[in-house]
Amino acid sequence: MPWKTSRLYSNGKQIFFSSVSHYSFTRQLSLSSSPNLKTLCSNGEFKEALLQMAILGAEMKFEGYDTILNECVSQRATREGQRVHAHMIKTCYLPPVYLRTRLLVLYNKCGCLGEARKVFDEMPQRNVVSWTAMISAYSQRGFASEALNLFVGMIRSGTEPNEFTFATILTSCIGSLGYEIGRQVHSIAIKRNYESHMFVGSSLLDMYAKSGRIHEAHGVFRYLPERDVVVCTAIISGYAQMGLDEEALGLFRQLQSEGMKSNYVTYASILTALSGLAALNHGKQVHNHVLRLGQSSYVVLLNSLIDMYSKCGNVCYARRIFDSMPERTCISWNAMLVGYSKHGMGNDVLELFKLMREENKVKPDSITFLAVLSGCSHGKLEDRGLEIFYNMADGVDGVEPDIGHYGCVVDLLGRAGRVKEAFDFIKKMPFVPTAAIWGSLLGSCRVHLNVDIGIIVGQQLLEIEPENAGNYVILSNLYASAGRWEDMRNIRDSMQEKAVIKEPGRSWVELDQVVHTFHASDHTHPRREEVAKKVKELSIKFKEDGYVPDLSCVLYDVDDEQKEKVLLGHSEKLALAFGLIATPDRATIRVIKNLRVCVDCHSFAKFVSKLYARTVILRDKNRFHNIVGGVCSCGDYW
C-alpha cells in the first residue's frame, strides 16, 4: 500500500501521520473519540461531518448517509451532496431505495434535473416516493409532457400512486390538452378512492379552474369532506380569474360565514374580484381585515390593494399604498402605472416611469412598457409614445417590443385620428396582426368615421373571427354612422344567419355592499319605475342648462324622437339616476359599464356632476372617467 497522509482533529489540534500503521492506529482513535455525525450536523458543524464521513470510509452506514443527506437537502448544498454521492460510489456502497430517493430529492431541490433523472434511471428498485419525487421534479420546472410520461410509466410498472402523486401530476395537466388529460387522471383517482383527499381535491379544483371549467371545479369543491384555507382560496381565485367576480364575492362571503380563516393569498384573490366589480366598500373592508391581522407586509397583497383601489377609481389612495411600500417589485410599479394609464393620466405615467428608471432598483419589463405606451395612448401623448416605442425597437431599453407593444402603437395612432398612419404601420409590422389589433383599428375607424379603411379592416376581422359579435356590431355601426343603412342591415342579417349574439350592454352600481345591475331599457330592477322617471326628469333639467342629446349614438334608422327615447334607456343613465336616488347628497357615484361608454352618456354624466355637485366615476371596458364639477379627467378624449 502506498504511503498516505491522514489528518484528524483531536482536542482542537491538527495531527499528521505518514505511515500505514500510524494511519490505522489513528483512524481507530478517531472513530472512538470523535462525535457522531448526527451530533455534528445538529451543532452546525457540517464540514466536520463531511470530514468524518471521509474518515469512516467504507464503514459509513445507512444512518450516517441519511443524516448527512438530510442536511444537504436542508441547506440545498449541491457540491456537498455530490461528495456524499461520490463517496457511496467509491466505497461500493449500494444505497437502498430510500437513500437513492433522498439523492433524487436533493438534486431536484438544487435545480440539477439531469442528475436527478440519472439517479432515478439507475435505481434497481423504485417505490411510490421515488416516482412521485421525479414526477414532481419535472412538474415544478414546467416539463409537463415528461411528468405525464413518467406517470404513465409508473402505472404500467404496477406502482400504486398515492395522494401526493395525484396532487403533483394534476399540476402538469395544462395547455390545450390539459383538461382532457386531467379528466383521465381524475378518473384514475376516483378508482383508487383519492378524489376526496384534501391535496388531490385542491389540485383537481385548480386544474379545472385553470382550464376554464369553473363548474367542474365547484363540483369537486362541494363534495370535499374537509376544506382548508388553501382549497377555499383556490375556488375563489378560480372564479376571480374567470371574471366571475360576483360569484367569487358571494362564495367568499358564504365561506366566511361558515368560519373560513383567510390568509394573504385569499385576500389577494378576493381583491381581484372586487377590482372587477369596482366594489370599493367591500375592498375597504378587506383592507381593514388585512391591517387588523397584520398581513399588510406581504408584497403580493399590497400589489392587489394598489390594483383594487385603482380599478375602483381611487388612484390617489393606490399611490399612497405604493409610496408606503418598504419594498417594490416590478409588479408593484406595473400595477401603479396601469392604474394611471386606465385613468388617462398620461403625464403621471411618464413621471412614475422616470422615477422607476432613476431609482434603478427594478428594471422595467415588457408589461411596464405596455402600461407606459397605453398611458400615452389614453393621455393624448402620441408623439411621446412613439418616441418610447422606437427607442425600444432600437434596443435602447433592453426590452424588445413584441406584438402587444405594436398593438399599443396602433391604438395610440388610431385614438389620435391618425387612422391611415395606423393602417400603414400594421402593414409593416414584423408580426402577423392579431384580431385584437385589427379590432382596435376598426374601433378608431368608427370613432373617426373612416369608412373606407373601416370596411377593409372589418372584412379582415370577419374572416379571422366569424363568431365575434363585436366585429359585426362595430362594422354595422360604422355603416350606420355614414348613413349606409342597407349595408348596416346586411351585416345585421349576416349576424342572424350565423346565430352570432351581441353582448348586451349593462352597467352596475354598488350600494350598501349590494351590486345593482342595469340593462338597456331595464324592466327587471325593483325600482325600475322610479329610476325611469328620474332619467326623464334629469333629461328635462339638463336641456334647460344646455344639454343636447347626441342622436348619432343611436344607430337605428328611426326618427329623432324615437332615437332620444332609446338614449334615455341606456344602462349608464339608469345607473346614474339610481345613484342619485339611492345615495346621500354629494356622495360619489361609481358606475361600471361592460362596454365602451357612449358619447351621449358621457355628456349626461358630466351634467350630473355639474348640477348635483357629485363626483362621478365611470369605468368602461377600456378606461376610467373621473368627472368633477362637470369636467372629465379624459379631456373628452377616449
Side-chain angles (χ1 to χ4, degrees):
M1 181 182 286
W3 289 76
K4 293 185 178 181
T5 300
S6 175
R7 64 175 182 176
L8 59 89
Y9 291 88
S10 177
N11 298 324
K13 297 181 180 179
Q14 197 173 46
I15 304 171
F16 292 86
F17 296 90
S18 298
S19 69
V20 174
S21 60
H22 282 172
Y23 173 80
S24 179
F25 169 76
T26 54
R27 188 172 177 281
Q28 292 174 5
L29 177 65
S30 170
L31 292 176
S32 62
S33 61
S34 298
N36 64 37
L37 294 168
K38 187 170 286 189
T39 303
L40 288 170
C41 288
S42 62
N43 290 337
E45 300 176 275
F46 192 27
K47 291 182 180 179
E48 287 75 5
L50 290 167
L51 179 61
Q52 188 70 9
M53 177 187 71
I55 294 170
L56 284 167
E59 295 184 29
M60 271 286 286
K61 304 297 181 187
F62 171 88
E63 291 78 7
Y65 282 123
D66 185 32
T67 298
I68 295 183
L69 278 177
N70 284 335
E71 192 65 24
C72 290
V73 171
S74 175
Q75 296 189 21
R76 302 195 177 196
T78 310
R79 295 187 63 182
E80 290 78 0
Q82 289 171 333
R83 283 178 63 182
V84 177
H85 193 181
H87 188 274
M88 289 179 177
I89 296 169
K90 287 179 181 178
T91 59
C92 298
Y93 178 77
L94 297 176
V97 175
Y98 172 82
L99 287 182
R100 292 179 190 271
T101 304
R102 294 306 289 163
L103 277 170
L104 193 159
V105 169
L106 168 67
Y107 284 131
N108 178 31
K109 285 205 169 186
C110 296
C112 305
L113 193 56
E115 286 87 342
R117 183 58 190 260
K118 188 176 180 182
V119 170
F120 179 80
D121 288 340
E122 291 174 354
M123 293 178 75
Q125 291 180 310
R126 300 169 186 143
N127 60 19
V128 63
V129 180
S130 313
W131 283 99
T132 302
M134 197 64 237
I135 290 169
S136 176
Y138 280 121
S139 183
Q140 287 173 7
R141 282 160 183 77
F143 296 105
S145 60
E146 288 85 351
L148 289 164
N149 287 336
L150 270 179
F151 180 71
V152 173
M154 178 184 182
I155 298 294
R156 288 175 177 169
S157 74
T159 306
E160 280 294 309
N162 61 18
E163 65 269 26
F164 301 107
T165 316
F166 284 113
T168 300
I169 195 60
L170 283 164
T171 63
S172 293
C173 297
I174 55 176
S176 57
L177 297 176
Y179 171 65
E180 292 301 328
I181 295 171
R183 285 184 65 194
Q184 293 178 41
V185 175
H186 189 177
S187 67
I188 297 171
I190 292 172
K191 290 176 183 177
R192 286 162 171 78
N193 294 317
Y194 282 113
E195 181 190 22
S196 297
H197 193 283
M198 183 72 72
F199 295 144
V200 181
S202 179
S203 294
L204 278 168
L205 191 157
D206 189 57
M207 181 275 295
Y208 282 125
K210 287 179 178 175
S211 301
R213 312 283 178 155
I214 195 64
H215 296 298
E216 284 93 330
H218 195 267
V220 172
F221 176 78
R222 192 168 61 249
Y223 289 110
L224 281 175
E226 294 181 26
R227 300 167 182 168
D228 63 3
V229 65
V230 176
V231 173
C232 293
T233 299
I235 188 66
I236 292 168
S237 177
Y239 275 112
Q241 289 169 8
M242 289 285 295
L244 301 170
D245 302 317
E246 292 183 50
E247 290 84 348
L249 177 57
L251 185 58
F252 175 74
R253 295 172 72 176
Q254 175 194 328
L255 293 174
Q256 274 201 320
S257 68
E258 293 174 2
M260 176 190 73
K261 291 184 178 179
S262 304
N263 60 18
Y264 74 97
V265 184
T266 318
Y267 287 126
S269 299
I270 195 60
L271 283 169
T272 300
L274 296 175
S275 299
L277 290 170
L280 182 61
N281 292 331
H282 278 294
K284 286 179 177 178
Q285 283 194 346
V286 171
H287 193 179
N288 288 333
H289 278 291
V290 168
L291 293 172
R292 282 202 304 271
L293 296 173
Q295 296 185 351
S296 57
S297 60
Y298 291 101
V299 175
V300 66
L301 193 47
L302 293 172
N303 292 342
S304 295
L305 283 167
I306 291 171
D307 183 61
M308 183 275 294
Y309 278 113
S310 295
K311 288 181 177 176
C312 289
N314 199 336
V315 72
C316 294
Y317 202 87
R319 183 58 188 265
R320 283 176 60 184
I321 294 173
F322 176 83
D323 288 338
S324 68
M325 292 178 73
E327 178 188 358
R328 303 184 191 111
T329 64
C330 192
I331 295 173
S332 312
W333 289 93
N334 291 347
M336 197 64 243
L337 286 166
V338 169
Y340 279 138
S341 173
K342 291 294 185 182
H343 281 79
M345 302 168 72
N347 290 320
D348 295 273
V349 169
L350 293 176
E351 285 180 18
L352 188 64
F353 182 51
K354 180 182 176 183
L355 179 63
M356 183 182 187
R357 282 174 152 172
E358 288 173 351
E359 284 196 7
N360 203 28
K361 292 179 181 177
V362 177
K363 287 188 176 181
D365 64 6
S366 177
I367 304 298
T368 310
F369 284 97
L370 283 174
V372 172
L373 290 172
S374 179
C376 291
S377 177
H378 288 295
K380 206 174 183 179
L381 298 166
E382 63 268 22
D383 291 333
R384 184 73 180 98
L386 289 171
E387 180 186 342
I388 291 168
F389 173 80
Y390 286 117
N391 281 341
M392 285 182 71
D394 292 339
V396 174
D397 297 293
V399 177
E400 187 176 347
D402 58 30
I403 194 163
H405 302 102
Y406 279 86
C408 282
V409 173
V410 172
D411 183 67
L412 180 146
L413 292 169
R415 283 181 193 275
R418 295 157 68 169
V419 175
K420 177 67 167 60
E421 194 175 339
F423 189 49
D424 292 338
F425 180 83
I426 290 177
K427 293 177 183 176
K428 297 174 184 176
M429 288 194 325
F431 303 98
V432 175
T434 62
I437 289 176
W438 286 121
S440 172
L441 183 57
L442 182 59
S444 298
C445 291
R446 157 74 182 90
V447 172
H448 298 288
L449 297 180
N450 193 317
V451 180
D452 294 335
I453 292 178
I455 292 171
I456 298 170
V457 173
Q459 293 301 329
Q460 187 82 20
L461 268 170
L462 294 185
E463 289 180 16
I464 298 172
E465 291 184 323
E467 304 304 320
N468 187 335
N471 300 328
Y472 292 90
V473 171
I474 295 174
L475 187 56
S476 69
N477 290 350
L478 181 62
Y479 282 131
S481 300
R484 295 172 58 170
W485 302 110
E486 188 61 32
D487 290 322
M488 186 205 81
R489 279 188 283 271
N490 289 338
I491 291 291
R492 299 279 177 170
D493 291 342
S494 179
M495 285 181 69
Q496 288 184 348
E497 288 173 12
K498 296 179 181 179
V500 178
I501 301 173
K502 173 185 177 293
E503 180 184 7
R506 63 189 177 100
S507 301
W508 56 94
V509 178
E510 182 196 4
L511 178 65
D512 296 330
Q513 300 185 22
V514 175
V515 176
H516 295 260
T517 304
F518 297 88
H519 297 273
S521 301
D522 199 301
H523 300 294
T524 60
H525 194 273
R527 300 175 68 176
R528 57 186 176 277
E529 293 181 4
E530 187 181 359
V531 168
K533 182 180 178 182
K534 185 67 175 179
V535 170
K536 291 179 183 178
E537 175 191 315
L538 291 173
S539 178
I540 294 168
K541 182 174 182 178
F542 294 167
K543 283 179 180 177
E544 293 172 355
D545 205 67
Y547 164 68
V548 178
D550 190 334
L551 302 182
S552 67
C553 294
V554 181
L555 302 170
Y556 297 104
D557 189 13
V558 295
D559 61 40
D560 288 355
E561 183 179 349
Q562 188 63 26
K563 285 183 178 181
E564 188 171 340
K565 186 176 180 181
V566 171
L567 282 177
L568 292 179
H570 279 196
S571 64
E572 302 98 311
K573 292 189 179 72
L574 300 178
L576 283 166
F578 176 75
L580 280 173
I581 293 169
T583 60
D585 289 346
R586 299 186 178 274
T588 298
I589 300 174
R590 289 180 170 82
V591 175
I592 309 173
K593 175 77 184 287
N594 64 328
L595 304 175
R596 187 180 187 270
V597 64
C598 81
V599 174
D600 186 68
C601 287
H602 186 265
S603 176
F604 197 87
K606 290 199 294 183
F607 275 93
V608 170
S609 171
K610 177 184 175 183
L611 298 184
Y612 287 88
R614 299 287 195 111
T615 295
V616 175
I617 298 175
L618 275 175
R619 190 183 108 187
D620 66 18
K621 70 172 186 176
N622 291 324
R623 58 164 300 156
F624 283 86
H625 301 268
N626 199 323
I627 307 171
V628 181
V631 178
C632 185
S633 60
C634 74
D636 297 336
Y637 178 85
W638 80 96

